[in-house]
Amino acid sequence: MNLIRIALRYIRNEILVLPTRVIAILFVIGLLVLPLLTQDMYILRILAIAAIFAIYAASWDLLSGFVGQVSFGHALFFGVAAYTTALLNLRFGISPILTIPIGALASVLVGLLVGIPCLRLKGPYLGLATLAFPIMLMGIIFIFPGFFGGELGISGITRLAAARLNEYYIAVVFMLILCFVMWKITDSKVGIIFHAIREDEIAVRASGINTIKYKLFAFCLSGFFAGLAGGLYTHFLRIAGPSMLAVLMSFQAIIWTIFGGVATIYGAVTGVFILFPTLEILRTFSDYRMLIFALIVLLVLRLMPQGITVFVRDKLERECPRCKVRNVFTRKECRVCYSSMK
Amino acid sequence: MKGKYYLLLTLVATLVLLLGLVGCTPAADDTAPPVNGEEEEPGPEFDGEIKIAVTGPMTNIQGEMMWWGATMAMEEINEAGGVAVGDEKYSIRLIQVETDEIMDPLGAVSAVENVIVSEDPDFLIGGFRTEAVTPYTDLVARDYQKIFLICGAATNELLQGRVDEDYETWKYLFRVTPIRSTDLVRVTMLMLHEVAMAVREELGIAAPKVAILAEALEWNEALVQGAPAVYFPQLGLEHVGTFRPSATASDVTTELRGIEASGAHIIYTIMSGPVGIPFGKQWGELEIPACPVGINVEAQKSGYFPATDGFGDYDYTLNTFALNANITDQTIPFMTKFMDKYGQVPNYNADTYTAVYLLKEAVERAGTMDTDAVIVEMEKTDRVGPAGRIVFDEIHDVIWGPGYVTAVGIQWQEGDLVACWPYEWRPDPQNAPDLVVGFDGVVPYQIPPHVLRQWRGE
Amino acid sequence: MLLSDILVYGLMNGAVYAMLAIGFSLIFGSARIINLAHTAFFMLASYAVFYFGSNLGLSPFLSIPVSIILVVLIGVFVYYVFMEPIREHETAVLIVTVAIALVFQEAVLIIFGGHYRGVSSIISGYISPFGIRISYQYLLTLGVVSLALLTVWLLLMKTRLGIAIRSSAQDREVANLMGMNVARIAAATMAISVALAAVAGVMVAPLYTLEPHMWLNPLVLVLAIVILGGLGSVKGSFIGAMILAFIEVTVVFLLPGGAFLKVAIALAIMLVILIVRPEGLFGVYLEGER
């Protein structure tokens, strides 16, 4: 009884007071109860893929948005995990419960391999250098077509779960947990160091913090989450193909995240859940699909260059000038310290 | 303030543009596929309709060809009274599925599932890029148990290793066009032999040298390894080098220079991608003294000649149909009608035409739309179509060989696409010396004039 | 024999790459914009010359300048409307340029279809100096490209605008403090940059195959070149272009069976150089910025 009261009080005082939190909670509940309303296979597929891509985009945000290590080759992590997962499953018959984590560990390893040579690179140099890695890996895949399947990819993989509904819940629950974990990481002490490295790496080093260690950690962490996404995607689609390493795949993560709002994690999730289904809805326009999509991205970013979530958040909420707590834009005084919101 | 004004202006302009585009959509559709299948309402004389989804990259030529071929068959069948299912008459309705599979192969699966869920088609045909067709045939067979006729991907493994190993799961898949890639290889070897004979006779070279120019893709891997090791010695040819540009390369002058330096008389080409065009153009413009033969998918299209600025003349490639080759009685009427309607020479994807007929006849024989019954009838298929006599083997692949589908070799000769193979082909000289295959209208292969000139001049 | 082949083909490819890379480098230097739509302008110019030349049948002397001017106008318009106002949001600009490239690609796809197109050479035929066949169009391209590069070099070195562009590339803030209109300089740079891409586009249109996705492959190369040479450095871009072109050509001649690896190998060498020199060969170190 007491517990319920505490929970209710928490909901009233911490969630209902802020519209963005209400939206977030509604979104989570909506995703979880959606199968009660519709069991349409196509809708479940699109949302499941969107959930997987949300993990992928958020992992990019973790590395590039927070730590400032802008990667143009994020598909590397996704692709390495996808291929590892697929090969383990096909060649050794290992079940998805094991292949997906092993795939993610392979991505961590790759994160280290990429991170170490890239430690000295900064800004655009880093971004454009990372672009090279997936392209080189694609070259390797085409050198050993017998092993990696060349452009056909590796197919005949076990599916994620027996039924689409289970697959949907696996993807969505994974997404909710992993994105929450990523969000918490960025909120922790490590997250503050990540922020600081992005803002001024020299100052961080001057404070006696080993930035190299943290940067490598960020590469591994991001690789891990992107790898989980890659493994889930492979088992969902039952194929690992070279297009998972294509330049487009890397850029998609960037487009989604920046569209949603960079360095927020929830921005990446929002970006994917808006843009990915939009692209599907636009199938009705067949030939004009990509054009309309590109125009939407172009216009939204022209009007809200900081990303859609940040734009909406700043419209709906204001930060208290004194205690830095967020308030609904309608409030005249802060909900915590009662100082004026002017 | 000024910034806001600009912003508003842009916004309005873009909205207008968007609306304009949306408004234009049906008009644009009218110009591309002249008869849009979705506008065809089942007439009062029909008792129902058979829905066939055509899946392909509809913005690209491959998808257009699939759509046009299928549309032609649909119109013919509906005009002739539709499909007799038991006592009832059904019309055929086609549903266009833009899979965008060339750009986004994995996203294509979503497009296919979308159409299955929203339209519930009875059958599906199409499929072009293997990386996309593999997962979506998987989806269609395993999750939805619908019949899918592959009309564009040649990879053996789409059927081999599937239908033979787990019949119950994969029995829904058939391949109508093209012939599987190992058979494509056999045909190109026969064409290569023909070119080698011409080189021997006209240039007086006993053991012609061959350079391989193959795009770097997996489907031709076995070929690139196997041809010089197995086939070239049999044909008395000397292998002088293998060049592997990317399938999307826009410049192959360096590779051509390497081929020229190797002293090759023949270039054995294996190209399905856009690289075929720069190859033809640069080969012709630089007058590289070697005869191209093999597969160049771009050279199968009417647009090849203008796209290479006429320099691609005398390229020799495998194809499914040819304008001058009377493969069956249907070939030339089909091609003439197709060209009248759409202004393009049909390529192998356009044999969705036959695929629609196969479905019609299988349904009529089964007398029901029940999938399992239709599969049984599909397996009994024996139908003469524009590309030859279509019979399926035990893995649901179309059978290649004399008397079945053979494919043809076509050469550009002074701006015309003409068939040059099979020209007096003896498939089995040992056991059946009298068996000579050749279609009416096939003309002999010609060595490109500049090649002739250069080797004779030296 | 082999050496002369590598020299001739390396130089020819390098010249075209240099054209594209220098334009990209200029706009990065002046406005700090990573313009991923850069090669899309190259694609637009190729299609423009196809449209005016092959569809409308204009003579090359008319269709080429018209195409270049048209593409430059589009470039400047796009810069003013979409890039300039949100320049401070670097990541947003990046994605805006991707979106612009996609818009161009899709517009071309809708207007011209996904067919592969070819443009006639201005002069057809070939010459064979040291036994190497070179088409006249290639020679012409080499000539025009050299001329364009020389013009840009003179412009950058000798004119007031050039000095302004170079100084804003070195340090935007200080250039602004010295009373230069940095925004206008950036717009002028954008025009020059797009013009370079357009000239490359119209010249190589007869050599390459036109298709709406033709901007993607050169983009990767351009990015590699610019990084290799050092961002914002014109000299670096030129040398980087030559290095990558020679690597590519050498790979094809020495490893014909692995010709498709030429891009991957070129990228690997770029990475090795970057690890040794993190700011590229001639890059300006951007330590103080941001």
Side-chain angles (χ1 to χ4, degrees):
Chain A
M1 215 47 213
N2 220 12
L3 220 63
I4 294 171
R5 204 171 303 138
I6 291 169
L8 278 176
R9 196 190 306 148
Y10 182 82
I11 288 171
R12 202 183 62 227
N13 292 345
E14 289 297 320
I15 291 170
L16 291 179
V17 288
L18 285 179
T20 49
R21 287 188 187 162
V22 176
I23 295 172
I25 288 293
L26 286 179
F27 171 72
V28 171
I29 295 172
L31 273 185
L32 290 176
V33 303
L34 180 101
L36 298 179
L37 306 174
T38 172
Q39 295 261 8
D40 185 306
M41 296 285 258
Y42 172 66
I43 292 174
L44 291 184
R45 158 186 285 272
I46 295 309
L47 290 177
I49 295 179
I52 293 169
F53 281 154
I55 303 171
Y56 172 55
S59 77
W60 184 84
D61 200 17
L62 188 67
L63 179 65
S64 304
F66 282 94
V67 199
Q69 306 293 300
V70 177
S71 153
F72 282 6
H74 213 56
L76 179 74
F77 300 130
F78 194 82
V80 163
Y83 270 94
T84 314
T85 307
L87 285 169
L88 285 175
N89 182 257
L90 194 72
R91 302 255 193 274
F92 303 108
I94 300 173
S95 89
I97 302 167
L98 280 174
T99 57
I100 294 175
I102 296 174
L105 289 179
S107 287
V108 171
L109 204 67
V110 167
L112 271 178
L113 286 178
V114 174
I116 291 171
C118 288
L119 277 175
R120 295 180 65 192
L121 306 179
K122 287 194 173 60
Y125 287 98
L126 174 70
L128 299 178
T130 46
L131 179 69
F133 288 103
I135 295 172
M136 291 187 325
L137 185 63
M138 218 193 296
I140 294 174
I141 284 173
F142 281 104
I143 300 179
F144 302 109
F147 191 70
F148 292 112
E151 85 275 11
L152 314 183
I154 301 168
S155 58
I157 302 162
T158 328
R159 56 188 298 174
L160 198 53
R164 178 64 53 79
L165 190 65
N166 305 4
E167 290 180 317
Y168 170 82
Y169 273 115
I170 290 174
V172 165
V173 170
F174 255 93
M175 186 271 284
L176 292 176
I177 294 174
L178 292 178
C179 290
F180 185 72
V181 169
M182 278 187 255
W183 188 60
K184 274 290 161 203
I185 289 174
T186 62
D187 219 19
S188 67
K189 185 171 161 263
V190 178
I192 292 167
I193 295 171
F194 282 173
H195 266 288
I197 289 176
R198 182 192 61 204
E199 294 301 331
D200 196 337
E201 195 183 331
I202 292 170
V204 179
R205 219 179 299 154
S207 329
I209 291 167
N210 185 349
T211 52
I212 290 177
K213 205 176 76 188
Y214 278 95
K215 272 158 75 175
L216 277 183
F217 181 57
F219 266 102
C220 295
L221 208 58
S222 173
F224 178 74
F225 289 113
L228 284 179
L232 285 170
Y233 190 60
T234 298
H235 276 290
F236 186 79
L237 234 58
R238 288 170 262 167
I239 188 168
S243 62
M244 288 179 180
L245 286 165
V247 179
L248 200 71
M249 192 72 205
S250 298
F251 272 104
Q252 268 176 330
I254 311 178
I255 295 175
W256 290 323
T257 310
I258 292 176
F259 182 89
V262 81
T264 53
I265 300 294
Y266 52 82
V269 178
T270 317
V272 175
F273 273 90
I274 293 177
L275 288 182
F276 188 72
T278 303
L279 200 55
E280 284 299 321
I281 293 165
L282 288 175
R283 279 195 198 279
T284 31
F285 297 105
S286 99
D287 294 2
Y288 297 92
R289 172 170 169 244
M290 278 306 285
L291 182 69
I292 298 173
F293 177 78
L295 282 174
I296 291 174
V297 172
L298 191 62
L299 270 189
V300 168
L301 282 179
R302 173 64 180 79
L303 298 173
M304 321 170 192
Q306 66 277 62
I308 204 161
T309 50
V310 178
F311 180 85
V312 171
R313 189 188 69 195
D314 291 348
K315 282 270 175 252
L316 292 178
E317 295 170 7
R318 227 167 297 157
E319 204 171 67
C320 166
R322 192 158 143 240
C323 67
K324 308 289 178 209
V325 164
R326 303 198 70 84
N327 287 282
V328 195
F329 70 103
T330 47
R331 283 190 82 101
K332 292 220 166 41
E333 47 195 22
C334 174
R335 68 190 159 96
V336 176
C337 67
Y338 294 104
S339 61
S340 162
M341 287 297 293
K342 278 285 166 229
Chain B
M1 259 346 267
K2 215 174 167 200
K4 278 224 165 113
Y5 170 73
Y6 272 127
L7 220 67
L8 208 68
L9 201 73
T10 329
L11 196 68
V12 170
T14 318
L15 271 178
V16 169
L17 192 72
L18 267 175
L19 284 176
L21 284 176
V22 174
C24 285
T25 314
D29 270 353
D30 283 348
T31 52
V35 175
N36 193 331
E38 294 174 43
E39 287 163 18
E40 204 93 340
E41 289 294 317
E45 67 268 33
F46 294 121
D47 306 306
E49 59 178 17
I50 299 174
K51 289 182 279 191
I52 302 176
V54 187
T55 66
M58 292 298 165
T59 338
N60 294 72
I61 184 91
Q62 293 85 2
E64 279 179 341
M65 287 284 178
M66 289 178 193
W67 181 247
W68 289 338
T71 306
M72 222 167 99
M74 174 200 75
E75 286 169 69
E76 286 177 12
I77 293 168
N78 286 354
E79 272 162 33
V83 184
V85 185
D87 305 330
E88 295 185 317
K89 279 279 180 195
Y90 280 44
S91 69
I92 290 181
R93 180 160 80 90
L94 297 181
I95 304 160
Q96 198 181 61
V97 186
E98 161 67 292
T99 55
D100 200 15
E101 60 198 63
I102 293 178
M103 270 316 279
D104 179 15
L106 299 177
V109 191
S110 302
V112 172
E113 181 153 35
N114 181 19
V115 78
I116 294 177
V117 169
S118 60
E119 300 269 359
D120 190 30
D122 301 293
F123 308 106
L124 296 98
I125 60 178
F128 173 68
R129 181 170 164 177
T130 309
E131 192 184 347
V133 181
T134 308
Y136 70 59
T137 45
D138 188 306
L139 178 91
V140 170
R142 277 213 254 192
D143 293 6
Y144 293 98
Q145 290 91 39
K146 286 185 187 293
I147 295 175
F148 192 106
L149 307 189
I150 299 163
C151 295
T155 313
N156 288 24
E157 286 77 16
L158 286 173
L159 297 171
Q160 202 184 342
R162 284 175 152 188
V163 183
D164 45 350
E165 285 181 9
D166 185 359
Y167 177 79
E168 275 309 310
T169 309
W170 299 104
K171 62 183 176 183
Y172 307 95
L173 306 182
F174 293 82
R175 171 160 35 218
V176 177
T177 179
I179 49 179
R180 78 196 87 187
S181 49
T182 39
D183 289 333
L184 291 174
V185 173
R186 281 201 249 183
V187 178
T188 56
M189 286 304 149
L190 292 162
M191 289 161 58
L192 182 63
H193 176 64
E194 198 184 332
V195 175
M197 290 314 286
V199 167
R200 285 190 188 107
E201 276 166 31
E202 296 190 38
L203 303 181
I205 294 154
K209 295 177 181 168
V210 186
I212 299 177
L213 183 72
E215 62 188 7
L217 289 180
E218 141 77 19
W219 72 273
N220 62 30
E221 195 58 38
L223 191 52
V224 170
Q225 306 295 334
V230 182
Y231 291 100
F232 287 5
Q234 285 176 13
L235 299 175
L237 303 170
E238 186 192 338
H239 175 232
V240 290
T242 302
F243 293 82
R244 308 206 66 187
S246 132
T248 52
S250 55
D251 183 13
V252 288
T253 36
T254 347
E255 283 86 353
L256 286 172
R257 167 70 191 141
I259 289 171
E260 191 204 342
S262 73
H265 305 97
I266 299 173
I267 309 174
Y268 178 55
T269 60
I270 317 167
M271 296 180 288
S272 67
V275 63
I277 290 188
F279 164 76
K281 190 169 180 175
Q282 291 164 350
W283 169 81
E285 183 159 25
L286 298 176
E287 301 195 332
I288 302 297
C291 316
V293 54
I295 301 175
N296 180 355
V297 172
E298 285 304 313
Q300 300 170 349
K301 304 171 188 167
S302 336
Y304 177 73
F305 200 73
T308 59
D309 208 10
F311 285 116
D313 213 4
Y314 295 98
D315 196 2
Y316 186 31
T317 175
L318 175 134
N319 201 359
T320 301
F321 315 109
L323 260 180
N324 64 325
N326 218 346
I327 305 174
T328 69
D329 315 339
Q330 288 189 34
T331 317
I332 290 170
F334 165 77
M335 294 201 68
T336 330
K337 191 172 170 192
F338 193 95
M339 286 183 58
D340 284 348
K341 276 180 87 118
Y342 306 112
Q344 301 245 13
V345 183
N347 78 345
Y348 69 96
N349 296 113
D351 217 16
T352 44
Y353 176 82
T354 307
V356 172
Y357 270 103
L358 294 185
L359 286 173
K360 167 190 185 264
E361 289 166 9
V363 167
E364 286 185 338
R365 272 177 279 145
T368 158
M369 297 279 287
D370 175 69
T371 305
D372 284 330
V374 176
I375 290 173
V376 170
E377 290 305 323
M378 276 298 289
E379 285 170 349
K380 293 181 194 156
T381 292
D382 185 347
R383 177 176 208 281
V384 174
R389 181 175 147 224
I390 303 236
V391 180
F392 293 112
D393 63 10
E394 68 283 356
I395 64 165
H396 291 181
D397 217 337
V398 62
I399 296 178
W400 174 85
Y404 295 98
V405 174
T406 55
V408 289
I410 52 166
Q411 189 184 21
W412 284 92
Q413 292 184 358
E414 289 170 16
D416 289 322
L417 251 187
V418 294
C420 299
W421 185 91
Y423 183 74
E424 297 177 5
W425 168 42
R426 290 165 205 279
D428 195 359
Q430 266 90 46
N431 301 324
D434 297 334
L435 177 61
V436 179
V437 181
F439 305 126
D440 292 346
V442 176
V443 299
Y445 168 79
Q446 280 182 26
I447 291 184
H450 69 79
V451 177
L452 216 54
R453 206 171 55 235
Q454 291 183 63
W455 285 107
R456 281 185 175 163
E458 276 179 19
Chain C
M1 167 71 170
L2 189 70
L3 198 66
S4 59
D5 281 339
I6 292 177
L7 267 177
V8 170
Y9 286 103
L11 197 65
M12 289 198 302
N13 293 345
V16 177
Y17 294 166
M19 272 300 260
L20 288 172
I22 288 173
F24 183 92
S25 197
L26 278 178
I27 189 68
F28 178 82
S30 182
R32 294 288 182 271
I33 290 175
I34 296 180
N35 181 14
L36 296 177
H38 188 70
T39 49
F41 288 110
F42 158 84
M43 184 257 309
L44 271 192
S46 297
Y47 267 94
V49 86
F50 166 76
Y51 178 74
F52 290 121
S54 305
N55 274 19
L56 298 186
L58 298 183
S59 88
F61 298 103
L62 207 59
S63 67
I64 287 181
V66 167
S67 308
I68 295 174
I69 292 168
L70 185 74
V71 172
V72 170
L73 286 180
I74 295 175
V76 174
F77 170 79
V78 162
Y79 177 76
Y80 265 117
V81 176
F82 294 108
M83 299 186 195
E84 227 287 313
I86 55 167
R87 227 177 32 76
E88 295 90 69
H89 300 269
E90 287 176 24
T91 45
V93 174
L94 185 78
I95 296 310
V96 160
T97 61
V98 176
I100 289 169
L102 280 178
V103 169
F104 288 165
Q105 171 196 308
E106 290 303 308
V108 165
L109 191 64
I110 289 164
I111 298 169
F112 296 99
H115 313 264
Y116 304 118
R117 312 274 189 175
V119 175
S120 307
S121 304
I122 299 167
I123 337 165
S124 66
Y126 65 96
I127 55 162
S128 44
F130 341 100
I132 302 169
R133 293 164 199 246
I134 306 168
S135 64
Y136 288 127
Q137 180 68 32
Y138 237 129
L139 278 184
L140 190 68
T141 306
L142 196 62
V144 171
V145 165
S146 315
L147 204 68
L149 291 180
L150 195 68
T151 318
V152 169
W153 187 74
L154 286 176
L155 185 95
L156 285 177
M157 292 301 158
K158 303 286 173 196
T159 62
R160 278 174 65 87
L161 176 67
I163 294 166
I165 290 176
R166 284 189 295 139
S167 54
S168 73
Q170 244 170 31
D171 195 323
R172 219 180 134 83
E173 254 86 279
V174 175
N176 206 358
L177 288 175
M178 292 297 136
M180 296 178 198
N181 185 341
V182 184
R184 193 160 299 162
I185 293 169
T189 318
M190 181 73 186
I192 298 171
S193 150
V194 173
L196 281 175
V199 172
V202 295
M203 290 316 293
V204 302
L207 302 172
Y208 287 10
T209 311
L210 306 197
E211 47 118 0
H213 307 116
M214 67 186 278
W215 59 282
L216 266 173
N217 288 337
L219 180 66
V220 172
L221 266 176
V222 163
L223 292 175
I225 290 165
V226 172
I227 284 292
L228 177 61
L231 275 164
S233 159
V234 173
K235 185 172 67 177
S237 301
F238 184 81
I239 294 173
M242 288 299 164
I243 292 177
L244 283 205
F246 277 99
I247 293 172
E248 276 196 12
V249 170
T250 314
V251 169
V252 175
F253 279 113
L254 295 185
L255 191 74
F260 64 96
L261 284 174
K262 60 186 181 184
V263 176
I265 292 176
L267 290 177
I269 289 174
M270 173 203 84
L271 276 178
V272 171
I273 295 179
L274 264 191
I275 290 165
V276 182
R277 272 189 70 86
E279 68 280 5
L281 292 175
F282 300 95
V284 206
Y285 211 73
L286 307 169
E287 190 73 64
E289 288 200 1
R290 294 218 296 179

